[in-house]
Amino acid sequence: MANIVVVGAQWGDEGKGKIVDLLTQSADVVARYQGGHNAGHTVKIKDKEFILHLIPSGILHKGKKCIIGNGVVVDPKALIEEMKGLKKKNISIGKRLFISGRAHVIMPYHNVLDGAHENSKGKKKIGTTGRGIGPAYADKMSRVGIRMADLLDPESFRKKLKTNLADVNFLLANKYKTKKLSVNKIYDEYMKYAEYLKPFITDTVVLVNDLMEKGKNVLFEGAQGTLLDIDHGTYPYVTSSNACSGGVCTGLGVGPKSIDGVVGIVKAYTTRVGSGPFPTELKDKLGERLRLDGGEYGATTGRPRRCGWLDLVSLKHTMRINGFTGLALTKLDVLDGLDKIKVCVAYKYMAPTNSCSCSKKGKACRFTDFPQQVDVVEKCEPIYEELDGWSGNTKGAENYKDLPKQAKAYIKYISDKLGVKIDLISTGQKRNEIIFVNNPFGKAKGKT
């Protein structure tokens, strides 16, 4: 048996959905441990495209069990729509989907508060999806959250809802000057959701640990990326949960000794959606080329992603946090045809005050470790090393030997700089457009 974590190593959108889909061939169970429906995982199978937000992409494989853990915040309406959408595409869910009764529920007032709070920030907006994720996690930490198990107890649910709405409606009326929400309307709506989801709600802590004890291979799946982690990302421009590998333990209720490997998903360049610092961002024609060729638009919101060169400073930071045992390099084909490729190996920073520990005011300092202060990261300039690009085509390649010499050199450069092997290389969006250098589960590649 083996239990493997798949983690985004950048600001999300690294192609985790495809990698999870491929590794599911060697797994028995796929378990999601954090985030909400603000994430979007896109998988292309032949001529069909599947965009999943809450349900692990392992659901696309027959016979695989899929778990939504307690660390996830669930919008019941969005989840049911996703379930029905899969059924329309002849994907059988049956008794394969399990939802933690401890997972917190996104309520309508979370969406309202999310939008109102974000709009009140003006130019200092974080860039949230406005789907209630942050407010739901805030209620969780404030110990006033409503959990999936609460939906199964109508009387208890109504009491909690009534108590919460008293505070929420006061805030909506007096701070945001918006209309109040109805207890009865929300109650009736969520009781319908409860009836639909009741067969899927269970104690997933018991379930996932029992499955591991029986020797099943488990694939742990996160959302977003490590640089959006609430503790280790570019705070406050982050998500509201722990997207790093440590989130597995709290988000699913498994011990750290249960984890056998951590695969970091790294795009061959770097992208980011929303606000926040991005040292290697390209605001020119090359950045636009990467966006167009890479199809860099959010699967959840459709927002255009900001694009730039690969950043090894931030990647070394995410390596320390996650303990990567291997990497999956995605979207290599997007770099086809470039004469030169740049890679950021350090940051240059001009300290405006004496607050920087490595320099005096007005003096330049060099960072090879990712700075803690977001204000510092925003003012950092990338220091690049330049590599030769390649004129050959990598798109659709399934064998390492078929890659251009310069593409192989780029892959080796990344592996050597980070000190970790590259297990998989994605050369396109389709399932079969992948090079398996090594299967993290230690098994032979399955048929796609």
Side-chain angles (χ1 to χ4, degrees):
M1 62 165 283
N3 303 314
I4 304 297
V5 187
V6 170
V7 181
Q10 295 158 308
W11 277 289
D13 309 308
E14 301 95 347
K16 294 182 294 296
K18 175 181 177 179
I19 302 303
V20 169
D21 174 64
L22 287 164
L23 292 182
T24 299
Q25 298 170 83
S26 300
D28 302 297
V29 184
V30 183
R32 169 86 175 269
Y33 61 89
Q34 54 80 219
H37 65 308
N38 53 342
H41 290 170
T42 303
V43 179
K44 283 196 172 183
I45 304 174
K46 295 181 180 179
D47 59 340
K48 291 184 178 180
E49 182 178 81
F50 299 86
I51 300 177
L52 300 164
H53 301 282
L54 278 166
I55 301 174
S57 52
I59 202 71
L60 303 177
H61 293 256
K62 291 181 179 180
K64 309 293 184 178
K65 288 181 170 60
C66 291
I67 297 172
I68 297 175
N70 58 274
V72 180
V73 287
V74 179
D75 183 324
K77 181 180 179 181
L79 176 57
I80 292 170
E81 288 176 353
E82 194 167 313
M83 293 167 71
K84 290 180 177 179
L86 286 171
K87 288 180 181 179
K88 286 182 180 179
K89 293 186 177 182
N90 298 317
I91 302 297
S92 175
I93 294 176
K95 296 181 179 180
R96 298 195 294 129
L97 179 64
F98 304 89
I99 306 164
S100 173
R102 294 182 176 91
H104 280 248
V105 181
I106 296 176
M107 304 299 296
Y109 50 81
H110 291 138
N111 291 274
V112 175
L113 290 172
D114 200 359
H117 186 57
E118 182 77 347
N119 290 334
S120 70
K121 293 179 179 179
K123 294 181 179 180
K124 294 184 179 181
K125 290 181 180 180
I126 292 174
T128 73
T129 59
R131 299 194 172 195
I133 311 298
Y137 275 115
D139 273 4
K140 176 179 179 177
M141 294 304 171
S142 297
R143 299 181 293 280
V144 295
I146 292 173
R147 306 198 293 179
M148 293 300 293
D150 293 325
L151 298 182
L152 306 182
D153 185 340
E155 185 177 348
S156 175
F157 172 65
R158 179 182 276 278
K159 286 180 180 178
K160 292 180 179 181
L161 175 61
K162 186 176 180 180
T163 299
N164 286 0
L165 270 189
D167 291 334
V168 169
N169 281 332
F170 179 84
L171 188 63
L172 292 178
N174 293 280
K175 181 177 181 180
Y176 296 117
K177 310 301 180 184
T178 60
K179 64 180 181 179
K180 296 181 180 180
L181 301 176
S182 166
V183 172
N184 290 335
K185 184 177 180 180
I186 295 174
Y187 175 83
D188 292 342
E189 178 185 357
Y190 274 64
M191 283 299 95
K192 291 177 182 178
Y193 299 151
E195 187 64 27
Y196 189 95
L197 295 173
K198 184 177 180 179
F200 303 95
I201 299 172
T202 188
D203 189 335
T204 57
V205 173
V206 173
L207 175 64
V208 72
N209 280 281
D210 281 351
L211 290 167
M212 290 190 294
E213 287 175 10
K214 291 176 181 177
K216 301 298 184 182
N217 284 349
V218 181
L219 184 62
F220 300 114
E221 174 192 39
Q224 289 90 35
T226 304
L227 294 174
L228 293 177
D229 185 279
I230 187 68
D231 286 300
H232 302 289
T234 48
Y235 189 90
Y237 302 98
V238 292
T239 194
S240 302
S241 57
N242 288 118
C244 64
S245 59
V248 172
C249 299
T250 54
L252 281 162
V254 302
K257 289 184 178 180
S258 301
I259 299 173
D260 299 302
V262 181
V263 179
I265 315 301
V266 179
K267 199 174 285 186
Y269 47 101
T270 309
T271 63
R272 174 165 201 167
V273 171
S275 305
F278 185 177
T280 65
E281 183 176 8
L282 295 170
K283 299 179 181 180
D284 55 13
K285 291 182 179 179
L286 181 54
E288 183 62 23
R289 176 198 183 279
L290 292 175
R291 182 181 298 112
L292 293 174
D293 291 355
E296 298 297 353
Y297 298 89
T300 299
T301 63
R303 290 183 294 178
R305 295 173 186 145
R306 300 154 63 191
C307 300
W309 294 117
L310 190 68
D311 185 344
L312 292 181
V313 180
S314 63
L315 282 175
K316 287 178 180 178
H317 172 63
T318 61
M319 274 195 60
R320 291 190 185 104
I321 294 162
N322 290 294
F324 295 141
T325 56
L327 298 177
L329 184 68
T330 63
K331 293 202 173 183
L332 180 69
D333 55 296
V334 178
L335 300 182
D336 288 357
L338 294 178
D339 292 331
K340 296 291 181 179
I341 296 173
K342 292 182 179 181
V343 179
C344 175
V345 295
Y347 297 154
K348 179 183 177 182
Y349 175 68
M350 295 295 292
T353 68
N354 294 327
S355 61
C356 179
S357 60
C358 64
S359 70
K360 295 181 179 180
K361 182 179 179 180
K363 301 289 184 178
C365 61
R366 178 187 175 103
F367 286 112
T368 53
D369 294 322
F370 198 70
Q372 297 182 74
Q373 301 139 294
V374 68
D375 292 343
V376 172
V377 182
E378 285 177 337
K379 295 179 176 66
C380 282
E381 297 178 14
I383 298 173
Y384 290 115
E385 288 185 357
E386 193 172 76
L387 288 78
D388 290 331
W390 52 89
S391 57
N393 184 20
T394 68
K395 185 169 180 58
E398 297 181 44
N399 293 295
Y400 185 79
K401 64 180 182 180
D402 295 333
L403 295 177
K405 179 178 69 174
Q406 294 87 349
K408 292 178 183 176
Y410 184 58
I411 294 166
K412 185 177 185 301
Y413 174 88
I414 296 170
S415 180
D416 289 347
K417 285 286 186 180
L418 295 176
V420 63
K421 65 183 184 298
I422 293 178
D423 291 331
L424 303 98
I425 304 164
S426 178
T427 57
Q429 288 185 305
K430 296 179 181 178
R431 250 187 189 175
N432 63 306
E433 294 176 329
I434 192 81
I435 297 171
F436 268 78
V437 180
N438 175 64
N439 190 319
F441 280 101
K443 295 181 179 180
K445 176 186 173 185
K447 294 291 183 180
T448 57

